[in-house]
């Protein structure tokens, strides 16, 4: 099979009416979910609300039609809000279009050459650091509309923004605040009411109806932007200012790298939920083409959207056709219901984005990161601070430099020279495999060398074949010389994945550094204390106990 074939072409070979019905329901559902998010992301980025819809429609269709994932949904995301707002502030809308075109070309090159897989070398503390920072920045941009504050111009930097908000705190609008808090509350409790209809759709509908009926004095899309123009977006090649090209290279690379990271993370989530396996090179090429096309129709940068992808799958999506239907749903809104969008209150969109900011922040990772060695926790904290108070590009650059230096030190620490003694030879007998029988109900995998960020993808040797594995999986770490937070996360994910398929993971033979770090972060809670063994001999005995419990 052609490795460059999009998943849509593969899916259509055996497409039928049953698949179409599933994709139709999912596509319409996620299209309605995407509507308020697309507008909210565009407004937060300093653009008109329709530019977000154009992005979700044009880029979303191309990502699904040409991409390497069966159920990925593409469009504007929160990760781009801070970067886009900064570019618009410094270089205007034309500068943003030029930057997006450049980022699209970079993504195509990354996909064609296979260099896009280099994003796996970005360590977890750096990713979590700038994700936390972006989430905080997004939330801070929504405070004005959330409380209906009367501020003519909100500063672009975090400190200036917070100072301005505090100075105008007394101008808050009670009606806007009540509606915004109601929006958040409704989204939180809605899953108890209905699991089929997403909470964002319910909040958008009921919030808009409430404001329209009661005639509350709150800002709407119509009052601030004059509504959403009906009809198709116009094709226009942006006028490129060649003097800006050199200074736009850095933000274009940032947009491209964010797009690559976000889309591949989203594709991995899609794989886990749907049981498919995405093609990363094809996916990045599709993302690149989508980002080249988006600014030609007045759109923003686009990438894979994790939350919308998850909604798509939960709604029954089976193939990329659902993503294309999601784009066509937005087209239908533009053609037939655009005037109604003018009634949407901005405080409702602010409430929705507050939930988005919280969900994308990965806050649950922070307690785990704090338990890591101070050096790794420091990388996360520095990246977080620089994202919030400096610039995302600077944050990623500094974070990567610190992570690289940490990597060099950790690899250097694994090099040792020791004298072989008779006692050491005798002690090592319990670790060797040559004189031991591995029963049919167990399999042994071993990790050789440092298991640090960049190497964790090799765990796919286990996860890709998980359905064919026996009930017990033994992971021998005798020759794993070092591990970091990213490696630990990979092992935690492996343990959870095996548990979800009713298999047991047994860890054995950890050396001092990996064993100490695992104890420090309480790794045993993921596998059970009884499944952490000193050597492979103990591990095989434990495997026999597990098998006996299964048979009984």
């Amino acid at each position: 099979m052609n490795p460059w074939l999009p998943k849509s072409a593969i899916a259509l070979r055996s497409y039928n009416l049953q698949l179409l019905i599933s994709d139709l329901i999912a596509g319409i559902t996620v299209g309605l979910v995407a509507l308020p998010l697309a507008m909210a992301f565009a407004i937060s980025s300093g653009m008109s609300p329709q530019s977000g819809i154009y992005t979700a429609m044009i880029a979303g269709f191309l990502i699904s039609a040409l991409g390497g994932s069966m159920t990925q949904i593409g469009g504007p995301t929160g990760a781009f809000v801070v970067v886009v707002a900064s570019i618009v502030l410094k270089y205007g809308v034309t500068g943003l279009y030029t930057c997006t075109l450049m980022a699209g070309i970079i993504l195509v090159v990354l996909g064609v050459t296979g260099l896009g897989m280099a994003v796996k070398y970005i360590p977890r503390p750096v990713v979590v650091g700038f994700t936390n920072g972006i989430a905080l920045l997004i939330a801070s941009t929504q405070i004005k509309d959330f409380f209906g504050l009367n501020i003519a111009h909100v500063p672009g930097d975090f400190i200036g923004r917070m100072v301005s908000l505090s100075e105008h705190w007394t101008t808050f609008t009670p009606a806007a605040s009540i509606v915004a808090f109601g929006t958040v509350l409704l989204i939180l409790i809605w899953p108890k009411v209905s699991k089929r209809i997403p909470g964002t759709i319910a909040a958008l509908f009921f919030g808009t109806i409430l404001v329209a009926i009661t005639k509350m004095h709150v800002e709407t899309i119509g009052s601030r932007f004059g509504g959403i123009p009906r009809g198709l977006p116009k094709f226009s090649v942006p006028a490129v200012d060649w003097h800006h090209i050199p200074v736009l290279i850095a933000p274009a690379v940032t947009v491209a790298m964010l797009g690559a990271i976000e889309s591949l993370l989203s594709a991995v989530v899609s794989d886990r939920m749907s049981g498919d396996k995405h093609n990363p090179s094809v996916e990045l090429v599709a993302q690149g083409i989508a980002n080249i096309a988006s600014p030609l129709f007045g759109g923003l940068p686009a990438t894979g959207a994790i939350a919308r992808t998850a909604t798509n799958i939960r709604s029954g999506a089976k193939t990329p056709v659902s993503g294309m239907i999601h784009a066509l749903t937005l087209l239908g809104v533009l053609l037939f219901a655009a005037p109604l969008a003018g009634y949407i209150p901005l405080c409702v969109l602010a409430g929705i984005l507050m939930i988005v900011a919280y969900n994308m922040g990965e806050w649950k990772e922070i307690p785990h990161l704090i338990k890591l060695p101070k050096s790794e926790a420091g990388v996360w904290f520095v990246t977080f601070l620089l994202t919030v108070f400096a610039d995302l590009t600077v944050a990623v650059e500094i974070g990567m430099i610190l992570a690289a230096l940490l990597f060099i030190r950790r690899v250097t620490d694994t090099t040792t020279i020791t004298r072989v003694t008779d006692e050491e030879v005798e002690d090592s007998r319990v670790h060797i495999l040559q004189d031991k029988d591995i029963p049919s109900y167990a399999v042994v995998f071993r990790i050789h060398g440092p298991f640090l960020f960049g190497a964790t993808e090799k765990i796919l040797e286990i996860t890709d074949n998980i359905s064919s594995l026996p009930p017990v999986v033994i992971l021998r770490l005798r020759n794993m010389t070092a591990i970091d937070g990213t490696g630990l996360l990979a092992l935690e994910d492996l343990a959870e994945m095996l548990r979800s398929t009713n298999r047991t993971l047994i860890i054995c033979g950890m050396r001092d550094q990996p064993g100490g770090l695992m104890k420090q972060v309480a790794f045993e809670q993921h596998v059970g204390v009884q499944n952490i063994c000193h050597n492979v001999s103990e591990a095989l005995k434990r495997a026999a106990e597990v098998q006996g419990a299964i048979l009984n």
Side-chain angles (χ1 to χ4, degrees), residues 214-228:
T214 60
K215 299 187 185 305
M216 289 184 180
H217 294 290
V218 299
E219 271 200 295
T220 64
I221 286 178
S223 64
R224 183 180 294 183
F225 299 99
I228 303 293

Side-chain angles (χ1 to χ4, degrees), residues 368 491-493 495-496 499 505 521-528:
H368 177 80
L491 294 186
E492 291 170 6
D493 288 344
E496 299 300 330
R499 183 183 293 112
L505 177 65
V521 301
F523 180 78
E524 68 273 5
Q525 66 185 357
H526 297 280
V527 294

Side-chain angles (χ1 to χ4, degrees), residues 65 97 119 185 220 327 437 439 444 458 476 511:
Y97 292 158
V119 298
L185 184 62
T220 64
D437 293 325
V444 179
K458 296 185 179 181
R476 183 172 176 264
R511 291 180 176 272

Side-chain angles (χ1 to χ4, degrees), residues 241-436:
D241 187 343
W242 296 102
H243 296 291
H244 282 164
I245 294 295
V247 294
L248 286 174
I249 291 176
V253 170
T254 300
V255 169
M257 293 308 297
L258 271 178
I261 294 169
E262 191 89 352
S263 64
L264 295 183
L265 283 177
S266 179
V268 169
V269 171
S270 173
D271 290 349
R272 289 177 181 172
M273 295 182 67
S274 66
D276 186 44
K277 184 177 181 181
H278 74 283
N279 184 325
S281 295
V282 173
E283 184 62 31
L284 289 178
V285 170
Q287 297 284 343
I289 293 173
N291 277 282
I292 291 172
S294 180
L296 300 179
F297 293 91
L300 313 170
T303 184
I306 296 176
R308 273 161 279 168
T309 296
T311 300
N312 188 40
I313 297 169
R314 292 194 193 103
S315 301
K318 304 297 181 185
T319 76
V321 172
S322 63
M324 292 184 266
I325 291 173
H326 132 271
L328 294 176
T329 300
L330 292 170
L331 174 61
V333 171
L334 280 178
L335 293 178
F336 305 109
L340 297 177
Y343 294 100
I344 297 175
L346 294 178
C347 52
V348 169
L349 295 183
I352 291 172
L353 271 196
M354 283 293 190
I355 294 291
V356 170
Y358 177 80
N359 289 337
M360 74 170 289
E362 301 190 65
W363 309 108
K364 291 185 291 186
E365 292 272 0
I366 296 177
H368 177 80
L369 287 167
I370 292 175
K371 293 178 182 178
L372 295 176
K374 293 180 181 179
S375 52
E376 286 199 62
V379 170
W380 158 74
F381 192 57
V382 169
T383 305
F384 170 72
L385 289 179
L386 289 174
T387 301
V388 175
F389 297 106
D391 178 81
L392 185 60
T393 305
V394 175
V396 175
E397 289 173 352
I398 299 298
M400 284 301 297
I401 291 172
L402 292 175
L405 293 174
L406 186 60
F407 177 88
I408 294 170
R409 194 191 78 176
R410 189 167 285 124
V411 171
T412 303
D413 289 344
T414 65
T415 303
T416 59
I417 299 176
T418 58
R419 181 176 180 174
V420 177
T421 63
D422 293 338
E423 291 79 8
E424 185 179 355
V425 172
E426 190 61 33
D427 290 342
S428 66
R429 293 189 188 281
V430 291
H431 293 284
I432 63 175
L433 289 167
Q434 283 78 359
D435 62 345
K436 297 174 180 65

Side-chain angles (χ1 to χ4, degrees), residues 92-117:
V93 175
T94 302
L96 172 64
Y97 292 158
T98 303
C99 185
T100 307
L101 283 167
M102 293 166 63
I105 294 170
I106 293 171
L107 282 167
V108 171
V109 172
L110 290 176
V112 170
T113 60
L115 291 174
M117 295 309 296

Side-chain angles (χ1 to χ4, degrees), residues 485-534:
T486 309
L488 278 171
L489 180 65
L491 294 186
E492 291 170 6
D493 288 344
L494 172 64
E496 299 300 330
M497 195 176 299
L498 288 171
R499 183 183 293 112
S500 69
T501 60
N502 297 316
R503 290 174 172 83
T504 300
L505 177 65
I506 298 175
I507 303 286
C508 69
M510 290 87 69
R511 291 180 176 272
D512 291 342
Q513 191 274 342
L517 186 55
M518 287 179 169
K519 185 176 181 180
Q520 184 176 326
V521 301
F523 180 78
E524 68 273 5
Q525 66 185 357
H526 297 280
V527 294
V529 177
Q530 69 277 18
N531 293 323
I532 297 181
C533 304
H534 290 97

